[in-house]
Amino acid sequence: MNGPKGPNTRLAHLGNRPHDFHGFVNPPVVRASTVLFPDAETLTARRQKYTYGTQGTPTTDALADAVNDLEGSAGTIFVPSGLAAVTVPLLAFLSAGDHLLIVDSVYGPTRRFANAMLTRFGVEVDYYDAEIGAGIAAKLKPNTKVVFTESPGSNTFELQDIDAVAAVAHKAGAIVMMDNTWATPLYFRPLDHGVDISIHAATKYPAGHSDILFGMVSANAACWPRLKDTQTNLGTCVSSDEAYQVLRGLRTMGVRLDRHRDSALALAAWLETQPQVDRVLHPGLPSHPQHDLFRRDFAGSSGIFSFVLKGGGAAEAALFLNALTIFGLGFSWGGYESLAVPVNLDDRTLPQAYAGPVIRLQIGLEDVADLRADLEAGFSALG
Ligand SMILES: Cc1ncc(COP(=O)(O)O)c(C=O)c1O
């Protein structure tokens, strides 16, 4: 494509090379373990583009081209889940004796992996406040190798000043990773803000239909060789079938995401007016304490946020949730259907103060009026 193009134009065409595949618009799904070589010399030198299924296929390459364009990255690996997209780069860049700093509002299973496994391998793990910014300097140690960020944070949606954290971390010789699943590269491009490794649970918006588990890790040029080697060493590869489905999902991700954004913002603003609601935790709302940072860094907000009930506890949250009929009760997000879950903050290191139970909503592609009526039924159940 000549010259810069809008995001939806790019999403419609990225990764496709029809004339490499007899003119067919989409790349073929190449299922592969074995790849044949024409002769012994070529095999011994591995002198051809594809060598074995674990090392990529034309299908995974089509997706990688698309993702590298969106992320501005030197290379991207694909792994079997969003959680693996967190664990594989941490394994790539940490060794025994290293120190890892993780934002306290991190996705729970990232914390579980760090606490249960990285510590077993001799990695020291500490947590920091999402709002720390350049203050991360006080947390860095001579052996800090990785600063792990996620913005906004899982469930409570605090933002991080990624530019400030990255500048200080780099000065101290640490690399910066970011779980950017919430924003997707359409609304925030981590590598443009100093992040070295951008992580996505493509299970969410890229796949978009609640039927695929998939992770993507994109690296800048300095980090790419080590990330790629780790993938080769671990063998955490994906099937071409799923890579194809994610590429298919990318074609519509822009329009889906805009719809998720608009519906979520409309419902978040409405929730703020409800008498049973204490606070809505959504960085795209002017009431969010870091809304200025949101406006500085993000091109948009996606479809997941939380709200806090005025008082009560788990029983009240259950009353509300059990009255919902359109919102499903289930984990994950980024699919076409709306979901609600009660938030558990017991694993946080830093103290949390909320007036009542926190409920997380994933706003799907349904009609806003119907979703609002469903939430009204939840409030009615509270009496
Ligand atoms: C922020 C974030 N990162 C990573 C993941 C993990 O993705 P997956 O469910 O594909 O393992 C999730 C899943 O909910 C998530 O919310």
Side-chain angles (χ1 to χ4, degrees):
M1 287 186 274
N2 300 323
K5 296 283 185 291
N8 288 304
T9 307
R10 288 164 59 220
L11 286 169
H13 296 281
L14 285 174
N16 276 356
R17 293 171 204 240
H19 299 296
D20 289 357
F21 305 114
H22 310 286
F24 291 105
V25 171
N26 291 300
V29 178
V30 178
R31 298 197 180 92
S33 53
T34 299
V35 180
L36 296 181
F37 297 81
D39 50 51
E41 292 77 15
T42 312
L43 181 146
T44 305
R46 288 181 165 68
R47 203 174 44 232
Q48 66 183 27
K49 182 161 176 167
Y50 298 104
T51 55
Y52 193 59
T54 56
Q55 300 298 302
T57 67
T59 321
T60 60
D61 277 358
L63 179 60
D65 286 351
V67 175
N68 287 328
D69 185 287
L70 293 170
E71 292 279 343
S73 49
T76 295
I77 60 165
F78 301 125
V79 291
S81 67
L83 180 55
V86 169
T87 61
V88 169
L90 287 172
L91 289 171
F93 289 92
L94 289 164
S95 307
D98 289 347
H99 178 232
L100 163 67
L101 279 171
I102 304 184
V103 65
D104 197 39
S105 48
V106 77
Y107 172 58
T110 301
R111 178 192 305 270
R112 189 180 60 205
F113 170 72
N115 292 352
M117 291 196 66
L118 291 178
T119 53
R120 185 154 62 76
F121 299 149
V123 174
E124 225 186 307
V125 181
D126 272 332
Y127 294 89
Y128 64 89
D129 190 311
E131 295 180 38
I132 200 166
I136 193 92
K139 291 276 195 179
L140 288 160
K141 300 184 183 186
N143 60 338
T144 308
K145 289 288 160 51
V146 174
V147 175
F148 194 95
T149 67
E150 183 181 326
S151 182
S154 277
N155 297 326
T156 44
F157 301 93
E158 300 88 346
L159 292 186
Q160 291 193 249
D161 187 337
I162 297 291
D163 298 77
V165 168
V168 174
H170 287 158
K171 221 178 272 169
I175 67 158
V176 178
M177 299 184 185
M178 178 173 185
D179 184 332
N180 188 43
T181 303
W182 186 84
T184 85
L186 296 187
Y187 288 165
F188 186 85
R189 294 217 328 166
L191 273 56
D192 292 349
H193 294 264
V195 170
D196 302 285
I197 302 272
S198 170
I199 290 164
H200 288 275
T203 307
K204 318 301 180 201
Y205 295 113
H209 293 75
S210 307
D211 52 2
I212 298 283
L213 287 161
F214 202 87
M216 322 196 286
V217 191
S218 302
N220 61 16
C223 292
W224 171 237
R226 187 154 170 179
L227 181 68
K228 171 81 182 125
D229 280 355
T230 305
Q231 166 82 331
T232 300
N233 292 337
L234 289 173
T236 39
C237 55
V238 296
S239 78
S240 288
D241 294 82
E242 295 194 326
Y244 182 86
Q245 294 293 350
V246 175
L247 185 59
R248 191 178 205 266
L250 285 185
R251 305 292 174 217
T252 57
M253 186 172 77
V255 287
R256 283 187 285 111
L257 202 57
D258 288 353
R259 164 86 177 187
H260 288 291
R261 175 199 61 204
D262 293 347
S263 300
L265 275 172
L267 287 165
W270 172 79
L271 281 165
E272 282 194 311
T273 67
Q274 296 310 294
Q276 289 110 323
V277 171
D278 180 63
R279 276 174 70 190
V280 179
L281 312 176
H282 185 315
L285 290 177
S287 61
H288 189 279
Q290 295 164 293
H291 185 63
D292 288 346
L293 188 55
F294 172 79
R295 291 182 55 144
R296 187 192 80 181
D297 286 353
F298 287 80
S301 54
S302 66
I304 183 169
F305 65 94
S306 294
F307 68 94
V308 185
L309 286 175
K310 259 186 199 154
E316 283 70 22
L319 268 181
F320 178 88
L321 292 166
N322 288 337
L324 304 176
T325 56
I326 297 176
F327 282 84
L329 308 187
F331 295 105
S332 203
W333 44 282
Y336 54 85
E337 86 290 24
S338 292
L339 297 168
V341 287
V343 167
N344 181 352
L345 298 172
D346 291 350
D347 62 352
R348 297 280 170 98
T349 306
L350 303 169
Q352 302 292 311
Y354 292 103
V358 181
I359 293 174
R360 189 185 80 181
L361 300 178
Q362 124 82 9
I363 306 302
L365 303 175
E366 302 96 330
D367 295 298
V368 169
D370 294 332
L371 295 177
R372 192 166 49 226
D374 209 32
L375 297 172
E376 271 166 353
F379 291 122
S380 298
L382 286 174

